Structures are given as structure tokens and as C-alpha cells.
Amino acid sequence: MAVIANGIGTIFGVISLAPSGAAWRIGAVITGIGLHVIISRIELAYIQWRYLLSWFIVPLIGAVVLDIGTSIQGFLWTVQTLFPALFATNLPADVWLWGPLFQSLAAQTGGLVRELAGERVDWRMLEAPTWAGRAWVILLVISSVSIGSERLLHWSYRNFREVWELRR
């Protein structure tokens, strides 16, 4: 189920970025499916421990960021039409507008470092946007589904193959 949700999130994310029109939507669905397959292949190929400390980490990080980003965009696009109350606290419905969330994280991290260094920090100036709590929950849930689905797929395929080999 997580693998399907991850794939649908990627497809919907690509659809949400496409211009309106039937031909654009069909092209976006085909592009989303192809993108999800490519991302999944990269994640499945490079997620093994022996590749994590080599240059193969670059395509893996790129695939994970693209997977999470398109899944969040697809989730926001879908939820915006089904549950508009989620966006009542000015939560941006486009992941490209989430810059203030990460800017506030960087400012708060810098403030913590300055505080540990003995400087005085005005924490009121480093407040996060009002929608930050919901955005972090969405980010963490979608990230765990996006990353966990590939691990789950790898685990289930390996176990299925072992059982199949035992039956022969």
C-alpha cells in the first residue's frame, strides 16, 4: 500500500505542475509514471549499505529528494481539493512556497549555535511561520512513506524470491 501511495503521490505531483488541458494531463501521467519508475530503480539499486559511502550517494540523494518533493506536491494538490480546511492557516498549497519553513529552521539552528557560543539571541525574531507545525507533520509522514516504501519493496521482493527458490 505504501508503494502505491508513493507512486500515486509522484504522479499527482507531476500532474499538479502541468498546465491545464487533456493532452498536458495525459503527458504528465506518463511522465509521472516514468519518473516514479526511474526514482524507484535508483533507490532500490543504491540503497544497499555498500553504496552509501561512495559516489553513488549523489544519485540516491537526488532520487530521494525528488521522490519526497513530488510526493508532497501531489499530496498538497490532492488535499487542497478534498480538505481545504487544512490550508485555513495559510499553509501554502505549493511545495515551492515552503521556503520560509526552511529559512526559519536555518535561523533557529543558527540561533541555537550562537546561544551555545555565549551570544544573546532574540528568539522572537526567529519564529517559524504559523503553518510550520502542519508542514513539518506533512513532511515527516510523506518522507517516511516515500523512503520506507522502497525499503519495504526491497524486503518483500527478497523474501518472495527466497520462498520461490525454496519451492523449486
Side-chain angles (χ1 to χ4, degrees):
M1 186 69 176
V3 177
I4 294 171
N6 184 23
I8 289 173
T10 301
I11 294 167
F12 283 177
V14 173
I15 291 172
S16 72
L17 298 174
S20 60
W24 285 106
R25 298 291 166 123
I26 292 170
V29 168
I30 293 168
T31 304
I33 291 170
L35 185 64
H36 178 68
V37 168
I38 291 169
I39 289 170
S40 294
R41 292 300 304 158
I42 290 171
E43 288 178 351
L44 284 174
Y46 299 145
I47 210 156
Q48 300 163 0
W49 287 107
R50 66 177 176 219
Y51 292 125
L52 292 181
L53 298 176
S54 68
W55 68 274
F56 287 110
I57 194 79
V58 174
L60 177 63
I61 289 174
V64 167
V65 167
L66 190 60
D67 193 13
I68 292 170
T70 55
S71 294
I72 289 174
Q73 181 64 34
F75 174 78
L76 292 174
W77 182 69
T78 305
V79 171
Q80 183 180 11
T81 57
L82 300 176
F83 306 106
L86 179 69
F87 298 97
T89 59
N90 300 329
L91 176 68
D94 190 356
V95 77
W96 294 107
L97 302 175
W98 281 23
L101 178 71
F102 300 109
Q103 289 171 350
S104 70
L105 176 67
Q108 290 174 357
T109 304
L112 181 62
V113 169
R114 288 194 321 260
E115 179 101 0
L116 291 173
E119 292 182 30
R120 190 156 170 81
V121 177
D122 185 14
W123 290 100
R124 290 173 296 183
M125 298 298 292
L126 303 177
E127 287 185 10
T130 57
W131 47 268
R134 290 183 183 190
W136 283 118
V137 169
I138 291 169
L139 183 67
L140 290 175
V141 169
I142 298 295
S143 297
S144 64
V145 168
S146 294
I147 295 170
S149 66
E150 306 306 332
R151 293 297 297 167
L152 181 65
L153 184 64
H154 179 69
W155 175 81
S156 59
Y157 173 73
R158 188 180 65 230
N159 287 343
F160 175 76
R161 204 166 120 206
E162 285 179 16
V163 170
W164 187 260
E165 293 294 325
L166 289 174
R167 292 192 69 187
R168 282 187 178 191

